[in-house]
């Protein structure tokens, strides 16, 4: 049996290209005592992976050159020499961009009796959904009647943020790129309003749909969207920051003027809270998240979209497209 | 009787000068039914007043042109036509830069049995002390063994922040301008370490005294000090923001490079919390603050300095000096 995998060929400066990845075929390893052999079914592609391609220090170590690209996966146990797992078990793992992987069981989560398609363990019921849930409810704390704004609103995190905000009685305003995505945010995800950040009148458009200002801005984008949001923030607004996709490909030269002094002034004058986070810090809330979110999905209160791309070979292009804002909903690779 | 007062003559662009203020003498008004006439004993001078001199929107309305400059005061009731106040009562009021004022009693706080000099109601036991206490304990949440850094450490707020941090088991690192102030921060206020922000090696000096990074940065300054602090912040660091004195006189042209994208990146990577605040939002904690702080002062656990300037006429120069970083401790004007 052949293990197809994608490794990091070199570190990109700026926007990655297919040349930064390398497709390889190697032999599938045999499990040792205490190990399982996993066949990967689905691979999650997420913006944070851009950070792992760079050598810069972050909350996680970078992927090594020639190392398998990192990523969350849903897999099936193909062979087991581990007492805790049986052949056929479906598990959540962090096996990366490959079709087979060994595991000693640490970090594996069994997906027995999963309430819906198993790919959702990488999306609305997985890391992105939990990022939306924990960040919005713990940091954003939307109250009835407040206005919650989220960018990348057609994406895996953003679409969940807006729908959860509405379930808590808040008004959800989405920001998305282009009329197609905007229509999905409004019609499919049921946001109260949506604004196209590609419009030349973006800042005015956003102000028009936020007549009472913004109480929660869920930041996963950065860049120009931020500039449109800041003037509309109300006193005591909360800003959970889970991503900055617009600047992940930046090479680090940021021209002036320096925006920080005026942002700092607003932080002070408006008693703003800006709080970066990674969902795993809220892991204690995960069981409640799974219970609530499953229910919301079952009842139709929360909808989700998956953008399923067939074949591991297509992962680099799909990932580059994700950074370019090309997809709608949770991007997953169907590996096998 | 003559009421001496200082009004805002014009709005400064940049650094205020004495010409932006006007000294006036008018008749002392007579109290109507339900009013008291106050004789001001002490006037508090605080950096926030620079904001009130500008027309820009903030958390409070600007002082009107030809209006009496705003400010906290300690006063004595000279005449009373209000059932709640007797002649001779000492009260905390917000009477501004003048020697007499009328009040209908709203907002007055009696300072009966005040545990120490009444001027402290404007300093260590007043707004600045409470700013330190509430911001540090509620937002900063210093834990045993953590490192707390505060700028303007010889000032009214900063000196209290460091001492309270030590009482909570944290290491207190102060930043001050010049060797004299640094000596006071170390020897009189008992900080664990102090760094001179005027030193050309400031950033390295700060790193050297923060070998375990920074867990809480109490921001009341902004500017270059911030740039030295950010690289040292630990994951999950908390940053209460109560002031930005270094930029209050800025005319708003901030040259590049744009620092915000890298600050935003650090907020994300390090899961930072940045939180602007004004002490009055924590008013429910005031009784506990007064009880604890009085005890700390009585026992010598917290020390304070007051910089008492005689005469209302000297308020403009003293205030300009405050913005220039010229004084040590709480600046008050002895009005009468």
């Amino acid at each position: 049996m052949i293990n197809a995998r994608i490794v990091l060929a070199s570190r990109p400066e700026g926007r990655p290209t297919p040349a930064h990845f390398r497709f390889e075929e190697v032999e599938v390893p045999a499990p040792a005592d205490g190990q399982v052999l996993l066949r990967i079914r689905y691979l999650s592609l997420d913006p944070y992976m851009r950070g792992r391609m760079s050598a810069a220090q972050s909350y996680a170590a970078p992927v090594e050159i020639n190392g398998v690209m990192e990523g969350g996966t849903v897999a099936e146990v193909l062979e087991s020499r581990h007492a805790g797992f049986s052949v056929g078990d479906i598990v959540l793992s962090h096996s990366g961009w490959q079709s087979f992987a060994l595991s000693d069981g640490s970090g594996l989560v069994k997906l027995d009796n999963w309430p819906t398609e198993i790919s959702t363990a990488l999306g609305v019921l997985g890391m992105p959904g939990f990022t939306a849930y924990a960040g919005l409810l713990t940091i954003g704390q939307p109250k009835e009647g407040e206005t919650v704004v989220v960018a990348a609103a057609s994406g895996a995190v953003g679409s969940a943020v807006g729908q959860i905000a509405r379930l808590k009685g808040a008004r959800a305003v989405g920001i998305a790129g282009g009329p197609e995505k905007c229509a999905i945010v409004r019609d499919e995800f049921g946001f109260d309003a949506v604004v196209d950040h590609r419009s030349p009148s973006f800042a005015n458009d956003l102000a028009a749909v936020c007549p009472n200002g913004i109480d929660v801005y869920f930041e996963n984008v950065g860049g120009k969207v931020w500039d449109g949001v800041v003037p509309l923030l109300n006193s005591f607004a909360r800003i959970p920051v889970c991503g900055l996709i617009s600047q992940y490909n930046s090479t680090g030269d940021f021209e002036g003027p320096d925006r920080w002094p005026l942002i700092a002034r607003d932080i002070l004058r408006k008693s703003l809270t800006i709080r970066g986070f990674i969902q795993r810090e809220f892991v204690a809330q995960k069981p409640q998240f799974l219970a609530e979110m499953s229910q919301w999905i079952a009842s139709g209160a929360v909808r989700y979209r998956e953008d399923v791309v067939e074949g591991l070979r297509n992962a680099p292009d799909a990932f580059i497209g994700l950074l370019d804002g090309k997809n709608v909903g949770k991007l997953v690779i169907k590996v096998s």
Side-chain angles (χ1 to χ4, degrees), chain A:
Chain A
M1 279 195 309
I2 294 299
N3 182 22
R5 66 187 192 186
I6 290 171
V7 301
L8 180 64
S10 58
R11 301 200 186 281
E13 291 282 314
R15 185 173 177 272
T17 69
H20 294 108
F21 303 91
R22 194 172 61 243
F23 183 85
E24 291 182 347
E25 293 185 321
V26 296
E27 248 182 77
V28 171
D33 210 34
Q35 288 187 324
V36 293
L37 175 65
L38 301 173
R39 169 151 61 190
I40 313 302
R41 295 266 204 98
Y42 290 98
L43 163 67
S44 179
L45 294 182
D46 303 278
Y48 78 84
M49 295 167 172
R50 176 62 187 85
R52 300 290 198 285
M53 298 177 76
S54 296
Q57 207 204 329
S58 182
Y59 48 78
V63 174
E64 305 278 326
I65 297 290
N66 300 321
V68 175
M69 281 291 297
E70 205 185 308
T73 43
V74 168
E76 178 188 348
V77 175
L78 209 61
E79 288 180 53
S80 180
R81 299 185 63 188
H82 186 298
F85 298 92
S86 311
V87 171
D89 280 351
I90 302 294
V91 295
L92 183 68
S93 65
H94 201 80
S95 302
W97 297 27
Q98 56 186 342
S99 43
F100 294 91
L102 294 179
S103 168
D104 64 2
S106 58
L108 296 191
V109 179
K110 287 197 203 184
L111 303 181
D112 299 342
N113 307 313
W114 198 246
T116 175
E117 303 103 298
I118 54 170
S119 56
T120 59
L122 301 173
V124 70
L125 287 171
M127 185 272 284
F130 186 51
T131 297
Y133 178 94
L136 181 66
L137 299 184
T138 308
I139 301 170
Q141 300 180 22
K143 286 161 203 67
E144 188 124 357
E146 286 192 332
T147 298
V148 174
V149 173
V150 61
S154 71
V157 176
S159 59
V161 166
Q163 293 178 88
I164 298 170
R166 280 179 55 82
L167 287 167
K168 298 297 173 182
R171 264 187 87 236
V173 173
I175 299 170
E180 257 179 89
K181 286 186 180 181
C182 286
I184 291 166
V185 169
R186 193 177 42 236
D187 302 336
E188 193 167 319
F189 298 133
F191 281 50
D192 296 282
V194 62
V195 176
D196 186 346
H197 66 75
R198 293 186 193 156
S199 160
S201 57
F202 165 65
N204 288 335
D205 298 349
L206 184 62
V209 298
C210 298
N212 300 318
I214 297 173
D215 301 294
V216 180
Y217 174 56
F218 194 103
E219 172 65 295
N220 51 7
V221 168
K224 281 178 201 167
V225 169
W226 169 263
D227 292 338
V229 165
V230 170
L232 303 175
L233 291 169
N234 290 329
S235 285
F236 300 104
R238 290 80 66 194
I239 304 164
V241 180
C242 82
L244 294 164
I245 193 169
S246 75
Q247 65 185 57
Y248 288 165
N249 283 340
S250 159
T251 50
D253 295 320
F254 297 104
E255 278 180 30
D258 181 12
R259 291 183 294 166
W260 172 239
L262 294 181
I263 293 168
R265 192 195 62 184
D266 279 350
I267 291 170
L268 175 60
R269 284 191 183 166
K270 295 181 176 178
S271 297
L272 304 180
T273 299
I274 303 183
R275 169 72 153 83
F277 76 101
I278 308 159
Q279 41 83 31
R280 63 174 180 237
E281 99 181 67
F282 301 109
V283 66
Q285 300 174 27
K286 201 118 190 204
Q288 200 193 335
F289 156 72
L290 283 170
E292 282 202 280
M293 194 59 126
S294 303
Q295 217 169 17
W296 288 334
I297 289 169
S299 71
V302 168
R303 295 175 177 197
Y304 62 95
R305 266 215 187 198
E306 295 190 339
D307 179 357
V308 182
V309 173
E310 296 265 344
L312 187 65
R313 267 183 197 276
N314 295 317
D317 282 343
F319 177 66
I320 292 164
L322 172 70
L323 295 179
D324 290 344
K326 283 198 180 136
N327 78 303
V328 172
K330 178 66 193 98
L331 179 59
V332 292
I333 299 292
K334 191 169 182 188
V335 179
S336 65

